[in-house]
Amino acid sequence: MNRNILFSTTRQWNPGDEFILMGCINLLKEIYPDFNPIIFNRNPEVRQGKFSNLNFLKSSRWERWRPTGNSLARAFLRTGFLDNSFKNDTDPSFLDLAVFAGSPEWKGPFCQPLYKVIFEREIPVLFLGIGAGPNFTKQKLSALEQAVLSRALLITARDENAGQFLEQYHPLVLPCPALLSATVPYEKKIQKVKKIGLIYGTYLASDNNNVSQDTYIYLKELYGEIIRRFSSQYEIEMVCHYIDELPHAYKDFPGINILYSYDSKDYLDIFHRFDFVIGHRVHGIGISASMGIPGLAVVHDNRGKTTKGFLAGLVTPQTPVLEVLDKINFYIGQIQTLNTALQIHKQNTRRSYLKALRDRLK
């Protein structure tokens, strides 16, 4: 019989979370070839605000009751829960395993209903590729979170900060599972650079899908110079991850082909077009690395260090543009070596994850 595995992730919010989820699912399919993936959806459109879990109207029971005026209440009060994901009042008795699929958003109020279910039902749990910001401390973990962490079958941290802060739970420090998001048909051998992908960002997008105004100004200047310097040698295209970015990308870079999809799986085809990728989106760099495509990450916040696990080059918005152009020339000259190194790194990472999973999931 198929197992039922619940993944903590987001859907239709940040495609990077879904790239991590792809990697986690690819790993677990090597352990359990057949299982039903279910999600606990942390999308803030689904779970609004840190206190939304206290809203007794936001449940499937309210939908079944359907009092007079329910449609009006739904429009203004966010009643009911219609998302095709695990609800706070879903019967959890069918679950076999829970998995926190990466990101720094594996703790806090949004996740408390999931922790409660895992703890009360004694559901086996994995934390795969979780991260932590520089201000994170163990003292910020609730008693419930600490109890679940102490019972976890496996914890892997995607950066040294998370590994150090969670030291008492004996995590393994391994690259983010997004490195494993692409399967063999998408892996590519690169002998020379023909096409470069630029990942767009703006301060005018929704919070947590945006960048600061300073970072936006830097990216706009950098990309303009890259297009001016390199478009005669290489084909250059731009990638948007979030809907708010599209109108601004077209205004900022008229004449450049811009790629976007509502469906995270389409980004396998989008990034597969490129031989080298540059940008601020951690998991745009990650899904590219999964295909063997080297990247240069513009690190603008504490999440950016995750790209070290993707063997990416690192610059910041304080790095002089001319210095970045020199780095790009260097990486392009080393593209075959970088491509081979990524392929080896990915296989070593996959083996490390699978060994740890098989040891824990006996």
Side-chain angles (χ1 to χ4, degrees):
M1 293 180 63
N2 277 16
R3 287 174 172 83
N4 295 294
I5 302 180
L6 177 62
F7 295 89
S8 174
T9 186
T10 67
R11 181 74 170 165
Q12 292 302 110
W13 168 240
N14 182 341
D17 289 338
E18 297 181 59
F19 303 162
I20 303 168
L21 180 62
M22 289 178 202
C24 292
I25 288 175
N26 288 341
L27 280 168
L28 285 168
K29 280 187 174 178
E30 297 207 43
I31 310 291
Y32 307 125
D34 297 304
F35 63 83
N36 299 324
I38 301 129
I39 66 165
F40 178 91
N41 192 357
R42 301 188 318 269
N43 184 336
E45 184 65 26
V46 175
R47 299 179 180 273
Q48 301 88 18
K50 62 171 65 175
F51 300 114
S52 66
N53 297 325
L54 304 178
N55 182 0
F56 68 92
L57 298 178
K58 195 166 175 58
S59 70
S60 56
R61 283 193 294 269
W62 177 266
E63 286 301 320
R64 289 193 292 270
W65 182 30
R66 291 191 179 278
T68 303
N70 190 22
S71 294
L72 185 62
R74 263 206 311 264
F76 290 93
L77 298 177
R78 295 281 193 173
T79 65
F81 194 115
L82 299 176
D83 191 64
N84 186 16
S85 62
F86 193 87
K87 311 172 194 295
N88 290 353
D89 57 349
T90 298
D91 177 1
S93 59
F94 64 96
L95 295 175
D96 298 298
L97 181 67
V99 179
F100 286 82
S103 106
E105 302 297 329
W106 53 269
K107 54 184 172 50
F110 282 103
C111 296
Q112 290 311 292
L114 179 55
Y115 276 93
K116 189 170 183 288
V117 166
I118 292 169
F119 181 76
E120 291 179 351
R121 295 297 182 124
E122 298 185 350
I123 298 168
V125 61
L126 307 171
F127 292 80
L128 300 182
I130 62 176
N135 298 321
F136 172 73
T137 64
K138 286 182 288 232
Q139 287 69 36
K140 290 184 179 179
L141 292 172
S142 69
L144 181 59
E145 289 164 343
Q146 292 180 56
V148 171
L149 281 163
S150 67
R151 292 193 336 210
L153 298 178
L154 174 65
I155 301 171
T156 74
R158 73 187 195 185
D159 58 63
E160 292 292 343
N161 278 344
Q164 290 170 6
F165 289 134
L166 296 173
E167 186 177 8
Q168 73 184 84
Y169 304 106
H170 311 294
L172 299 178
V173 178
L174 290 171
C176 175
L179 182 62
L180 308 171
S181 54
T183 52
V184 172
Y186 281 99
E187 293 174 356
K188 61 188 295 187
K189 289 189 181 295
I190 304 172
Q191 295 183 331
K192 62 185 245 180
V193 172
K194 298 177 183 176
K195 186 177 288 191
I196 296 172
L198 305 177
I199 303 173
Y200 182 81
T202 176
Y203 69 100
L204 295 167
S206 295
D207 284 350
N208 297 315
N209 265 302
N210 61 354
V211 295
S212 70
Q213 189 168 4
D214 287 344
T215 298
Y216 161 75
I217 291 169
Y218 179 81
L219 288 172
K220 187 176 177 183
E221 180 188 357
L222 174 63
Y223 291 171
E225 198 61 27
I226 288 170
I227 291 165
R228 191 175 74 82
R229 294 284 188 96
F230 294 110
S231 58
S232 61
Q233 300 168 267
Y234 313 105
E235 189 176 349
I236 297 175
E237 295 182 317
M238 192 161 286
V239 180
C240 292
H241 281 214
Y242 189 70
I243 185 65
D244 289 1
E245 296 167 344
L246 276 169
H248 304 293
Y250 277 101
K251 289 176 186 175
D252 287 343
F253 296 98
I256 292 293
N257 192 37
I258 295 172
L259 307 168
Y260 165 82
S261 176
Y262 75 94
D263 189 340
S264 60
K265 289 183 179 176
D266 287 345
Y267 284 84
L268 289 164
D269 293 313
I270 287 172
F271 281 104
H272 192 264
R273 299 158 69 98
F274 305 122
D275 305 302
F276 189 62
V277 172
I278 303 163
H280 69 290
R281 287 270 190 178
V282 168
H283 293 101
I285 301 294
I287 196 172
S288 301
S290 186
M291 293 182 259
I293 302 165
L296 179 64
V298 181
V299 178
H300 65 104
D301 62 21
N302 59 66
R303 294 171 295 179
K305 292 179 181 177
T306 301
T307 56
K308 289 182 179 179
F310 307 139
L311 303 188
L314 272 62
V315 297
T316 73
Q318 289 71 49
T319 307
V321 168
L322 289 178
E323 185 178 325
V324 178
L325 298 178
D326 287 341
K327 283 180 179 286
I328 293 170
N329 272 321
F330 174 77
Y331 290 131
I332 287 174
Q334 300 292 316
I335 202 70
Q336 281 186 271
T337 302
L338 295 171
N339 171 240
T340 301
L342 265 177
Q343 291 170 334
I344 295 169
H345 177 60
K346 177 181 177 179
Q347 290 310 314
N348 288 339
T349 300
R350 174 180 163 274
R351 279 193 288 269
S352 295
Y353 266 107
L354 287 176
K355 182 181 185 306
L357 286 167
R358 286 176 177 138
D359 287 346
R360 270 60 164 203
L361 292 174
K362 288 178 182 176

